[in-house]
């Protein structure tokens, strides 16, 4: 079948990718280090921090779709999505600095301050995440080109994750949280700025001028593949306690938070390689098979890692890299699946709702990280972990290990069954839908 649409320039694609470097430096700092910062540095209890994560996500359940609808309804003069991205490029790094700032306040002050700053940060992250993924659908209407663009974004996100995983533990150990966050947020802002100048929105779609609460719900709940994919995604991310617990594992089980640098270094190759080869793998095998094989292999290596333990550190690192390859493969295609769901929704309902649909992606990401973060903290607290202690009990260390290695398997199994049995949307289906809807869009000259 002949492809439709326009090709983007390398400068555009690289600028789009660079923006993800900055965004994911911010995101990885929050999901990887905010919990341990609040428990071990600020002195909040694990129960307070876990509750904070969950309360913020309850607000997001209302807030994210509303912000998505606002993005859908807005018609800025200089593009539909870029004005939002340009604004948060400056604001979000500053908000992250405040999120990691220790004012040495009282217990009540700290609880109130971090509730406010974390909820505000979450709203700003939504305003960054919805437009940046939706932007790919207006840069080109060629499905292969979109896969390439979003894969570049995922490559950049992987690089950012690697930077945070390798540099942040060393920075924190030697410079402290405040200096670390200022330096990293400065880097994040600089990498996000080029998109403002080099990326262009080309494809304009006919849209409904009225977006109601009813239409928002319809956009989500009439899109069965959106629900299936993000049901699977939430199952994975809500049990991915390893993200939150990794700094605790390095600090207490291995004796030095800086050792997390070595753990992340073993994941550097898959983080860089997988996004590069994702377009080829999608064309060769299809997204569905990659998703299933990735999850299946991650389950296998996670079980082996738990049984082997971490006393043989070299073997632990190898198994950690192997299970990460399987896990990263489907996770890196999140934006690609979302773009397909946009086309499916437009085809079945006659209305394009990129903002609302990509808000589900953003909400699912934040919901999963919040649940997994809270689950990890509640779990190790039940095993006797005390953040202000100088040493941890053997039981607490065992709780950290189980949270790192075993709990994530539960979500992987749920996703394997849900996605494997019910997700049937193929690349050919999406191409056919785009072609049939070609008359419903105009191309901006």
């Amino acid at each position: 079948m002949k492809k439709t649409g326009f090709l983007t320039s390398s400068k555009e694609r690289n600028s789009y990718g660079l923006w993800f470097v900055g965004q994911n430096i911010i995101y990885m700092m929050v999901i990887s280090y905010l919990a341990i910062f609040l428990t071990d540095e600020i002195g909040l209890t694990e129960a307070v921090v876990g509750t904070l994560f969950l309360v913020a996500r309850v607000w997001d359940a209302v807030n994210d779709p509303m912000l998505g609808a606002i993005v859908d309804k807005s018609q800025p003069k200089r593009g539909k999505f870029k004005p939002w991205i340009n604004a948060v490029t400056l604001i979000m790094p500053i908000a992250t600095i405040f999120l990691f700032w220790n004012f040495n306040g009282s217990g009540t002050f700290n609880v109130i301050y971090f509730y406010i700053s974390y909820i505000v940060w979450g709203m700003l992250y939504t305003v960054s995440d919805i437009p940046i993924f939706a932007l790919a659908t207006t840069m080109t209407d060629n499905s292969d080109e979109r896969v390439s663009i979003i894969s570049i974004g995922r490559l950049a996100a992987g690089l950012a994750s690697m930077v945070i995983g390798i540099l942040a533990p060393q920075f924190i150990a030697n410079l402290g949280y405040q200096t670390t966050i200022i330096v990293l947020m400065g880097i994040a802002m600089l990498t996000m700025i080029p998109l403002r100048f080099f990326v262009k929105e080309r494809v304009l779609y006919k849209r409904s001028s009225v977006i109601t609460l009813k239409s928002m719900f319809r956009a989500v709940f009439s899109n069965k593949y959106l629900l299936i994919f993000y049901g699977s995604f939430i199952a994975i991310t809500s049990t991915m306690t390893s993200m939150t617990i990794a700094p605790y594992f390095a600090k207490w089980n291995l004796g030095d938070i800086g050792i997390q640098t070595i753990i992340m270094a073993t994941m550097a190759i898959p983080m860089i390689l997988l996004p590069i080869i994702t377009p080829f793998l999608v064309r060769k095998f299809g997204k569905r098979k990659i998703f299933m094989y990735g999850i299946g292999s991650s389950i296998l290596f996670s079980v082996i890692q738990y049984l082997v333990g971490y006393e043989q550190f070299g073997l632990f690192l190898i198994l950690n890299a192997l299970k990460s390859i399987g896990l990263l493969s489907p996770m890196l295609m999140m934006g690609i699946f979302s773009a397909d769901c946009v086309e499916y929704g437009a085809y079945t309902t006659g209305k394009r709702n990129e903002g609302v649909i990509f808000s589900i992606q953003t909400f699912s990401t934040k919901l999963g990280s919040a649940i997994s973060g809270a689950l990890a903290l509640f779990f190790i607290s039940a095993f006797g972990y005390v953040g202000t202690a100088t040493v941890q009990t053997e039981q607490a260390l065992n709780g950290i290990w189980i949270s790192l290695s075993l709990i994530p398997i539960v979500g992987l199994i749920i996703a394997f069954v849900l996605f494997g049995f019910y997700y049937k949307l193929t690349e050919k289906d999406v191409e056919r839908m785009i072609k049939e809807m070609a008359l419903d869009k105009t191309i901006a000259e």
Side-chain angles (χ1 to χ4, degrees), residues 10 15 46 59 96 108 155 167 197 223 226 236 270-271 275 282 294 309 322 347 353 376-377 426 433-434:
S10 59
S15 298
E46 292 76 27
W59 166 243
T96 309
T108 301
L155 168 61
L167 296 183
F197 302 102
N223 196 321
L226 180 74
I236 295 172
M271 282 182 179
V282 169
L322 290 174
Y347 183 80
N353 299 103
L377 294 175
T426 67
M433 293 172 186
I434 292 174

Side-chain angles (χ1 to χ4, degrees), residues 240-430:
M240 199 184 298
T241 48
S242 54
M243 293 298 297
T244 299
I245 218 69
Y248 293 88
F249 176 72
K251 179 180 179 179
W252 296 109
N253 293 62
L254 301 179
D256 182 4
I257 194 172
I259 295 179
Q260 190 174 353
T261 296
I262 301 174
I263 297 174
M264 289 303 299
T266 63
M267 299 168 60
I269 293 177
M271 282 182 179
I272 296 173
L273 181 61
L274 283 174
I276 295 174
I277 65 175
T278 291
F280 167 77
L281 294 176
V282 169
R283 288 192 297 268
K284 182 72 174 177
F285 302 106
K287 294 184 287 292
R288 188 178 182 280
K289 287 184 178 180
I290 297 172
F291 192 95
M292 295 297 292
Y293 290 151
I295 292 178
S297 64
S298 189
I299 292 172
L300 175 63
F301 288 117
S302 294
V303 171
I304 295 174
Q305 184 185 54
Y306 173 73
L307 296 175
V308 169
Y310 57 90
E311 287 77 11
Q312 301 180 55
F313 190 57
L315 182 57
F316 164 82
L317 293 176
I318 294 171
L319 291 171
N320 199 62
L322 290 174
K323 79 172 187 179
S324 298
I325 292 173
L327 182 60
L328 285 171
S329 298
M331 301 295 285
L332 289 172
M333 296 189 296
M334 176 180 61
I336 303 172
F337 277 106
S338 293
D340 285 354
C341 291
V342 167
E343 302 302 340
Y344 176 79
Y347 183 80
T348 55
T349 67
K351 296 180 180 180
R352 299 190 68 84
N353 299 103
E354 298 103 319
V356 172
I357 289 176
F358 279 103
S359 74
I360 300 302
Q361 172 178 302
T362 303
F363 171 67
S364 299
T365 301
K366 293 195 295 183
L367 176 65
S369 65
I371 293 175
S372 63
L375 177 61
L377 294 175
F378 291 145
F379 189 82
I380 63 174
S381 179
F383 273 72
Y385 177 84
V386 180
T388 54
T390 55
V391 295
Q392 301 295 336
T393 65
E394 189 66 28
Q395 184 180 10
L397 295 177
N398 189 43
I400 292 173
W401 171 238
I402 293 173
S403 185
L404 182 84
S405 59
L406 204 56
I407 293 178
I409 298 173
V410 177
L412 290 169
I413 293 173
I414 294 172
F416 189 87
V417 174
L418 178 60
F419 186 89
F421 277 96
Y422 298 106
Y423 193 92
K424 307 298 182 183
L425 188 64
T426 67
E427 286 73 18
K428 290 184 178 179
D429 292 331
V430 175

Side-chain angles (χ1 to χ4, degrees), residues 168-182:
Q170 302 300 321
F171 283 6
I172 292 169
N174 294 285
L175 303 176
Y177 280 98
Q178 267 68 71
T179 302
T180 296
I181 202 68
I182 290 173

Side-chain angles (χ1 to χ4, degrees), residues 37-55:
F37 170 73
L38 294 178
T39 58
D40 291 20
E41 184 82 4
I42 301 299
L44 300 180
T45 67
E46 292 76 27
V48 168
V49 177
T51 303
L52 163 62
F53 288 170
L54 293 178
V55 169

Side-chain angles (χ1 to χ4, degrees), residues 122-134:
M123 294 176 66
L124 289 172
Y125 183 80
T126 298
V127 176
S128 78
D129 207 49
I130 295 171
I132 191 63
F133 280 99

Side-chain angles (χ1 to χ4, degrees), residues 94-113:
I94 296 173
T96 309
I97 292 174
F98 280 104
L99 182 59
F100 277 89
W101 207 259
N102 186 357
F103 288 96
N104 294 310
S106 66
T108 301
F109 170 85
N110 286 334
V111 170
I112 295 173
Y113 174 78

